[in-house]
PDB file of all heavy atoms in Angstrom:
ATOM      1  N   PHE A  57       7.449  33.077  67.674  1.00 89.00           N
ATOM      2  CA  PHE A  57       8.690  33.815  67.893  1.00 89.00           C
ATOM      3  C   PHE A  57       9.883  33.000  67.410  1.00 89.00           C
ATOM      4  O   PHE A  57      10.809  33.533  66.791  1.00 89.00           O
ATOM      5  CB  PHE A  57       8.826  34.164  69.378  1.00 89.00           C
ATOM      6  CG  PHE A  57      10.048  34.984  69.701  1.00 89.00           C
ATOM      7  CD1 PHE A  57      10.177  36.280  69.224  1.00 89.00           C
ATOM      8  CD2 PHE A  57      11.074  34.454  70.463  1.00 89.00           C
ATOM      9  CE1 PHE A  57      11.302  37.035  69.513  1.00 89.00           C
ATOM     10  CE2 PHE A  57      12.200  35.210  70.757  1.00 89.00           C
ATOM     11  CZ  PHE A  57      12.318  36.499  70.272  1.00 89.00           C
ATOM     12  N   THR A  58       9.858  31.695  67.664  1.00 90.00           N
ATOM     13  CA  THR A  58      10.933  30.814  67.200  1.00 90.00           C
ATOM     14  C   THR A  58      11.023  30.827  65.679  1.00 90.00           C
ATOM     15  O   THR A  58      12.115  30.895  65.109  1.00 90.00           O
ATOM     16  CB  THR A  58      10.712  29.374  67.706  1.00 90.00           C
ATOM     17  OG1 THR A  58      10.656  29.399  69.134  1.00 90.00           O
ATOM     18  CG2 THR A  58      11.810  28.447  67.259  1.00 90.00           C
ATOM     19  N   VAL A  59       9.873  30.788  65.010  1.00 91.00           N
ATOM     20  CA  VAL A  59       9.852  30.841  63.546  1.00 91.00           C
ATOM     21  C   VAL A  59      10.460  32.152  63.057  1.00 91.00           C
ATOM     22  O   VAL A  59      11.278  32.168  62.133  1.00 91.00           O
ATOM     23  CB  VAL A  59       8.414  30.665  63.008  1.00 91.00           C
ATOM     24  CG1 VAL A  59       8.321  31.023  61.538  1.00 91.00           C
ATOM     25  CG2 VAL A  59       7.926  29.248  63.249  1.00 91.00           C
ATOM     26  N   VAL A  60      10.086  33.256  63.692  1.00 90.00           N
ATOM     27  CA  VAL A  60      10.629  34.560  63.298  1.00 90.00           C
ATOM     28  C   VAL A  60      12.147  34.573  63.463  1.00 90.00           C
ATOM     29  O   VAL A  60      12.871  35.052  62.581  1.00 90.00           O
ATOM     30  CB  VAL A  60       9.973  35.697  64.120  1.00 90.00           C
ATOM     31  CG1 VAL A  60      10.688  37.019  63.907  1.00 90.00           C
ATOM     32  CG2 VAL A  60       8.504  35.836  63.746  1.00 90.00           C
ATOM     33  N   LEU A  61      12.638  34.033  64.569  1.00 90.00           N
ATOM     34  CA  LEU A  61      14.090  33.982  64.790  1.00 90.00           C
ATOM     35  C   LEU A  61      14.787  33.104  63.754  1.00 90.00           C
ATOM     36  O   LEU A  61      15.840  33.477  63.230  1.00 90.00           O
ATOM     37  CB  LEU A  61      14.399  33.460  66.195  1.00 90.00           C
ATOM     38  CG  LEU A  61      14.117  34.402  67.350  1.00 90.00           C
ATOM     39  CD1 LEU A  61      14.415  33.713  68.677  1.00 90.00           C
ATOM     40  CD2 LEU A  61      14.915  35.678  67.227  1.00 90.00           C
ATOM     41  N   GLU A  62      14.199  31.949  63.473  1.00 90.00           N
ATOM     42  CA  GLU A  62      14.810  31.040  62.508  1.00 90.00           C
ATOM     43  C   GLU A  62      14.830  31.639  61.105  1.00 90.00           C
ATOM     44  O   GLU A  62      15.727  31.362  60.317  1.00 90.00           O
ATOM     45  CB  GLU A  62      14.061  29.704  62.493  1.00 90.00           C
ATOM     46  CG  GLU A  62      14.272  28.876  63.738  1.00 90.00           C
ATOM     47  CD  GLU A  62      13.411  27.619  63.793  1.00 90.00           C
ATOM     48  OE1 GLU A  62      12.514  27.459  62.935  1.00 90.00           O
ATOM     49  OE2 GLU A  62      13.633  26.802  64.700  1.00 90.00           O
ATOM     50  N   CYS A  63      13.840  32.459  60.788  1.00 90.00           N
ATOM     51  CA  CYS A  63      13.727  33.032  59.440  1.00 90.00           C
ATOM     52  C   CYS A  63      14.488  34.346  59.280  1.00 90.00           C
ATOM     53  O   CYS A  63      14.606  34.860  58.164  1.00 90.00           O
ATOM     54  CB  CYS A  63      12.256  33.264  59.101  1.00 90.00           C
ATOM     55  SG  CYS A  63      11.316  31.748  58.974  1.00 90.00           S
ATOM     56  N   ALA A  64      15.000  34.884  60.352  1.00 88.00           N
ATOM     57  CA  ALA A  64      15.620  36.213  60.306  1.00 88.00           C
ATOM     58  C   ALA A  64      16.782  36.298  59.324  1.00 88.00           C
ATOM     59  O   ALA A  64      16.958  37.313  58.657  1.00 88.00           O
ATOM     60  CB  ALA A  64      16.072  36.626  61.702  1.00 88.00           C
ATOM     61  N   THR A  65      17.556  35.255  59.208  1.00 89.00           N
ATOM     62  CA  THR A  65      18.749  35.304  58.359  1.00 89.00           C
ATOM     63  C   THR A  65      18.588  34.577  57.031  1.00 89.00           C
ATOM     64  O   THR A  65      19.538  34.485  56.272  1.00 89.00           O
ATOM     65  CB  THR A  65      19.946  34.687  59.111  1.00 89.00           C
ATOM     66  OG1 THR A  65      19.625  33.333  59.435  1.00 89.00           O
ATOM     67  CG2 THR A  65      20.270  35.472  60.372  1.00 89.00           C
ATOM     68  N   LEU A  66      17.394  34.075  56.752  1.00 88.00           N
ATOM     69  CA  LEU A  66      17.180  33.295  55.534  1.00 88.00           C
ATOM     70  C   LEU A  66      16.959  34.203  54.323  1.00 88.00           C
ATOM     71  O   LEU A  66      16.354  35.268  54.437  1.00 88.00           O
ATOM     72  CB  LEU A  66      15.969  32.376  55.693  1.00 88.00           C
ATOM     73  CG  LEU A  66      16.036  31.326  56.798  1.00 88.00           C
ATOM     74  CD1 LEU A  66      14.753  30.514  56.831  1.00 88.00           C
ATOM     75  CD2 LEU A  66      17.232  30.416  56.614  1.00 88.00           C
ATOM     76  N   SER A  67      17.430  33.742  53.170  1.00 90.00           N
ATOM     77  CA  SER A  67      17.150  34.450  51.917  1.00 90.00           C
ATOM     78  C   SER A  67      15.707  34.148  51.526  1.00 90.00           C
ATOM     79  O   SER A  67      15.046  33.305  52.141  1.00 90.00           O
ATOM     80  CB  SER A  67      18.102  33.980  50.817  1.00 90.00           C
ATOM     81  OG  SER A  67      17.806  32.630  50.478  1.00 90.00           O
ATOM     82  N   GLU A  68      15.208  34.802  50.478  1.00 89.00           N
ATOM     83  CA  GLU A  68      13.827  34.574  50.057  1.00 89.00           C
ATOM     84  C   GLU A  68      13.599  33.134  49.643  1.00 89.00           C
ATOM     85  O   GLU A  68      12.570  32.543  49.961  1.00 89.00           O
ATOM     86  CB  GLU A  68      13.457  35.516  48.909  1.00 89.00           C
ATOM     87  CG  GLU A  68      13.066  36.895  49.370  1.00 89.00           C
ATOM     88  CD  GLU A  68      12.441  37.703  48.251  1.00 89.00           C
ATOM     89  OE1 GLU A  68      11.511  37.198  47.591  1.00 89.00           O
ATOM     90  OE2 GLU A  68      12.889  38.836  48.055  1.00 89.00           O
ATOM     91  N   VAL A  69      14.551  32.557  48.941  1.00 90.00           N
ATOM     92  CA  VAL A  69      14.427  31.171  48.487  1.00 90.00           C
ATOM     93  C   VAL A  69      14.421  30.235  49.688  1.00 90.00           C
ATOM     94  O   VAL A  69      13.581  29.333  49.793  1.00 90.00           O
ATOM     95  CB  VAL A  69      15.573  30.808  47.508  1.00 90.00           C
ATOM     96  CG1 VAL A  69      15.548  29.340  47.153  1.00 90.00           C
ATOM     97  CG2 VAL A  69      15.506  31.678  46.266  1.00 90.00           C
ATOM     98  N   GLU A  70      15.346  30.456  50.612  1.00 91.00           N
ATOM     99  CA  GLU A  70      15.415  29.617  51.808  1.00 91.00           C
ATOM    100  C   GLU A  70      14.157  29.783  52.659  1.00 91.00           C
ATOM    101  O   GLU A  70      13.640  28.812  53.216  1.00 91.00           O
ATOM    102  CB  GLU A  70      16.652  29.971  52.631  1.00 91.00           C
ATOM    103  CG  GLU A  70      17.962  29.619  51.950  1.00 91.00           C
ATOM    104  CD  GLU A  70      19.169  30.219  52.669  1.00 91.00           C
ATOM    105  OE1 GLU A  70      19.041  31.310  53.274  1.00 91.00           O
ATOM    106  OE2 GLU A  70      20.239  29.586  52.610  1.00 91.00           O
ATOM    107  N   LEU A  71      13.662  31.014  52.740  1.00 90.00           N
ATOM    108  CA  LEU A  71      12.443  31.282  53.506  1.00 90.00           C
ATOM    109  C   LEU A  71      11.252  30.559  52.884  1.00 90.00           C
ATOM    110  O   LEU A  71      10.432  29.973  53.597  1.00 90.00           O
ATOM    111  CB  LEU A  71      12.176  32.789  53.586  1.00 90.00           C
ATOM    112  CG  LEU A  71      10.925  33.223  54.336  1.00 90.00           C
ATOM    113  CD1 LEU A  71      10.964  32.735  55.779  1.00 90.00           C
ATOM    114  CD2 LEU A  71      10.783  34.733  54.295  1.00 90.00           C
ATOM    115  N   SER A  72      11.165  30.578  51.560  1.00 90.00           N
ATOM    116  CA  SER A  72      10.071  29.871  50.876  1.00 90.00           C
ATOM    117  C   SER A  72      10.127  28.377  51.162  1.00 90.00           C
ATOM    118  O   SER A  72       9.099  27.750  51.451  1.00 90.00           O
ATOM    119  CB  SER A  72      10.140  30.115  49.368  1.00 90.00           C
ATOM    120  OG  SER A  72       9.950  31.471  49.082  1.00 90.00           O
ATOM    121  N   GLU A  73      11.318  27.811  51.091  1.00 91.00           N
ATOM    122  CA  GLU A  73      11.484  26.383  51.377  1.00 91.00           C
ATOM    123  C   GLU A  73      11.122  26.066  52.829  1.00 91.00           C
ATOM    124  O   GLU A  73      10.442  25.081  53.118  1.00 91.00           O
ATOM    125  CB  GLU A  73      12.922  25.953  51.084  1.00 91.00           C
ATOM    126  CG  GLU A  73      13.239  24.520  51.427  1.00 91.00           C
ATOM    127  CD  GLU A  73      12.387  23.516  50.667  1.00 91.00           C
ATOM    128  OE1 GLU A  73      11.989  23.803  49.518  1.00 91.00           O
ATOM    129  OE2 GLU A  73      12.102  22.440  51.240  1.00 91.00           O
ATOM    130  N   TYR A  74      11.567  26.910  53.742  1.00 91.00           N
ATOM    131  CA  TYR A  74      11.266  26.740  55.166  1.00 91.00           C
ATOM    132  C   TYR A  74       9.750  26.758  55.385  1.00 91.00           C
ATOM    133  O   TYR A  74       9.207  25.918  56.103  1.00 91.00           O
ATOM    134  CB  TYR A  74      11.943  27.858  55.970  1.00 91.00           C
ATOM    135  CG  TYR A  74      11.670  27.821  57.450  1.00 91.00           C
ATOM    136  CD1 TYR A  74      12.473  27.072  58.301  1.00 91.00           C
ATOM    137  CD2 TYR A  74      10.618  28.539  58.003  1.00 91.00           C
ATOM    138  CE1 TYR A  74      12.236  27.033  59.662  1.00 91.00           C
ATOM    139  CE2 TYR A  74      10.363  28.505  59.359  1.00 91.00           C
ATOM    140  CZ  TYR A  74      11.179  27.754  60.182  1.00 91.00           C
ATOM    141  OH  TYR A  74      10.925  27.715  61.533  1.00 91.00           O
ATOM    142  N   CYS A  75       9.079  27.721  54.764  1.00 90.00           N
ATOM    143  CA  CYS A  75       7.626  27.830  54.921  1.00 90.00           C
ATOM    144  C   CYS A  75       6.920  26.599  54.359  1.00 90.00           C
ATOM    145  O   CYS A  75       5.954  26.118  54.954  1.00 90.00           O
ATOM    146  CB  CYS A  75       7.109  29.098  54.240  1.00 90.00           C
ATOM    147  SG  CYS A  75       7.560  30.603  55.126  1.00 90.00           S
ATOM    148  N   ARG A  76       7.383  26.093  53.226  1.00 91.00           N
ATOM    149  CA  ARG A  76       6.782  24.879  52.664  1.00 91.00           C
ATOM    150  C   ARG A  76       6.930  23.704  53.623  1.00 91.00           C
ATOM    151  O   ARG A  76       5.991  22.936  53.829  1.00 91.00           O
ATOM    152  CB  ARG A  76       7.407  24.543  51.312  1.00 91.00           C
ATOM    153  CG  ARG A  76       6.796  25.299  50.155  1.00 91.00           C
ATOM    154  CD  ARG A  76       7.237  24.729  48.825  1.00 91.00           C
ATOM    155  NE  ARG A  76       8.666  24.835  48.573  1.00 91.00           N
ATOM    156  CZ  ARG A  76       9.268  25.929  48.122  1.00 91.00           C
ATOM    157  NH1 ARG A  76       8.572  27.017  47.883  1.00 91.00           N
ATOM    158  NH2 ARG A  76      10.565  25.936  47.916  1.00 91.00           N
ATOM    159  N   ARG A  77       8.115  23.560  54.208  1.00 90.00           N
ATOM    160  CA  ARG A  77       8.349  22.458  55.156  1.00 90.00           C
ATOM    161  C   ARG A  77       7.451  22.564  56.374  1.00 90.00           C
ATOM    162  O   ARG A  77       6.957  21.565  56.876  1.00 90.00           O
ATOM    163  CB  ARG A  77       9.809  22.452  55.617  1.00 90.00           C
ATOM    164  CG  ARG A  77      10.750  21.733  54.708  1.00 90.00           C
ATOM    165  CD  ARG A  77      12.079  21.419  55.390  1.00 90.00           C
ATOM    166  NE  ARG A  77      12.536  22.370  56.367  1.00 90.00           N
ATOM    167  CZ  ARG A  77      13.418  23.352  56.145  1.00 90.00           C
ATOM    168  NH1 ARG A  77      13.933  23.510  54.953  1.00 90.00           N
ATOM    169  NH2 ARG A  77      13.777  24.156  57.116  1.00 90.00           N
ATOM    170  N   LYS A  78       7.260  23.781  56.862  1.00 88.00           N
ATOM    171  CA  LYS A  78       6.479  23.999  58.084  1.00 88.00           C
ATOM    172  C   LYS A  78       4.984  24.156  57.819  1.00 88.00           C
ATOM    173  O   LYS A  78       4.194  24.215  58.754  1.00 88.00           O
ATOM    174  CB  LYS A  78       6.977  25.259  58.816  1.00 88.00           C
ATOM    175  CG  LYS A  78       8.382  25.158  59.334  1.00 88.00           C
ATOM    176  CD  LYS A  78       8.429  24.291  60.563  1.00 88.00           C
ATOM    177  CE  LYS A  78       9.800  24.347  61.198  1.00 88.00           C
ATOM    178  NZ  LYS A  78       9.863  23.634  62.444  1.00 88.00           N
ATOM    179  N   GLY A  79       4.615  24.265  56.550  1.00 88.00           N
ATOM    180  CA  GLY A  79       3.202  24.442  56.237  1.00 88.00           C
ATOM    181  C   GLY A  79       2.722  25.848  56.523  1.00 88.00           C
ATOM    182  O   GLY A  79       1.592  26.056  56.954  1.00 88.00           O
ATOM    183  N   LEU A  80       3.583  26.823  56.297  1.00 90.00           N
ATOM    184  CA  LEU A  80       3.268  28.231  56.557  1.00 90.00           C
ATOM    185  C   LEU A  80       3.206  29.013  55.254  1.00 90.00           C
ATOM    186  O   LEU A  80       3.664  28.550  54.217  1.00 90.00           O
ATOM    187  CB  LEU A  80       4.348  28.857  57.450  1.00 90.00           C
ATOM    188  CG  LEU A  80       4.487  28.300  58.848  1.00 90.00           C
ATOM    189  CD1 LEU A  80       5.754  28.840  59.498  1.00 90.00           C
ATOM    190  CD2 LEU A  80       3.281  28.648  59.674  1.00 90.00           C
TER     191      LEU A  80
END
């Protein structure tokens, strides 16, 4: 749920970077 909240406002590029950092 925390991941979903953190990703809610991210652009596709930011979301991709976030996922790489978190291993998702």
Side-chain angles (χ1 to χ4, degrees):
F57 183 66
T58 302
V59 167
V60 170
L61 287 177
E62 289 174 351
C63 294
T65 60
L66 299 179
S67 68
E68 278 192 51
V69 174
E70 293 169 329
L71 179 59
S72 297
E73 176 60 31
Y74 178 88
C75 288
R76 276 192 297 278
R77 275 196 327 263
K78 295 285 188 175
L80 296 169

